[in-house]
Amino acid sequence: MAEDSAYESIVCLKPEVHVYRIPPRASNRGYRAADWKLDEPAWSGRMKITSKGKVAFIKLEDKSTGELFAQAPVEQYPGCAVEAVTDSSRYFVLRIEDGNGRHAFIGVGFADRGDSFDFNVALQDHFKWVKQEGELAKQAATLNTGPKLDLGFKEGQTIKINIGNIKKKDASSQGPSKSRMAGSGLLPPPPGVKAGGILNPPGAPHPAPLAQPSTVPLVNFGEPLAPTQPSQDLWGDFTAAGSSSSQDSVKPGWVQF
């Protein structure tokens, strides 16, 4: 039933082949194409090789109408269904069947040697595939009937994983200052510099100290301001202001520091 429902595919197709009547085999030495009448073929047409399941079928058909002339089912190659002659690579002997249990042997030959090579390779490839399929089926059957490996955890079963010794550093042993420095990402100041101070680069002048606030009053509310004369000297105003401030006497009511 499986073979009947299998899909039939074309394996090889040759447009020209000749069929010969062959005499009975006289001995076990094999068939010889020289014993045939090669110049008088009994029939000429095309050859088609199809596969259906594990069986290959060699079909001899009419070139124009496709009518079936003869058919040779092949279940094994090399085998009795297809046999090569002993004196040529272009001729073979086929065991044809009519479907009613009767069979006969005929000779077939190709005009081109390349066609006979393709015919031989097509049959070899088909039965190589059949062998591989049989081995895969045996392996699958062995795996299904063999004991199955149970890798699941049983009830109450545990597993222990050792990931190595990991040492943890104690942050409290580093002290508060080191931990804060490490957390902020800043480096500690060099020796001799107070925290928060600014370190001048080497060779730079030291900044001048900040000026102390002057204790001299800016405006004397007791006396009117004397008008100042314009001076030709650009620095006269600053000189006059400096000299007058130093010579003024201290007025009553003001305390000089």
Side-chain angles (χ1 to χ4, degrees), residues 8 48-52 55-59 71-74:
E8 185 176 8
K48 181 190 297 183
I49 303 177
T50 63
S51 64
K52 189 175 183 180
V55 183
F57 296 89
I58 302 175
K59 298 181 180 183
Q71 176 176 272
V74 183

Side-chain angles (χ1 to χ4, degrees), residues 65 104 114 119-120 154 160 174 180 197 199 204 210 216 250:
T65 62
F119 168 77
N120 191 20
K154 304 300 186 295
K160 182 179 180 181
Q174 298 179 357
R180 285 197 298 269
L199 181 63
L210 298 177
V216 180
V250 180

Side-chain angles (χ1 to χ4, degrees), residues 224-247:
L225 296 175
T228 58
Q229 297 295 331
S231 176
Q232 299 298 329
D233 189 3
L234 297 176
W235 302 96
D237 294 342
F238 296 95
T239 305
S243 61
S244 60
S245 60
S246 61
Q247 296 176 2

Side-chain angles (χ1 to χ4, degrees), residues 162-227:
N162 186 10
I163 59 176
N165 297 327
I166 300 177
K167 297 181 179 180
K168 296 183 179 180
K169 295 183 179 181
D170 189 4
S172 60
S173 62
Q174 298 179 357
S177 60
K178 293 184 179 181
S179 61
R180 285 197 298 269
M181 288 294 181
S184 60
L186 299 178
L187 295 175
V193 180
K194 295 182 178 180
I198 301 176
L199 181 63
N200 294 328
H206 294 281
L210 298 177
Q212 298 295 329
S214 177
T215 58
V216 180
L218 297 179
V219 180
N220 189 356
F221 294 97
E223 296 179 358
L225 296 175

Side-chain angles (χ1 to χ4, degrees), residues 126-138:
H126 171 73
F127 287 99
K128 186 183 295 183
W129 171 82
V130 171
K131 183 179 179 180
Q132 292 176 353
E133 289 293 321
E135 292 177 353
L136 293 176
K138 290 180 180 179

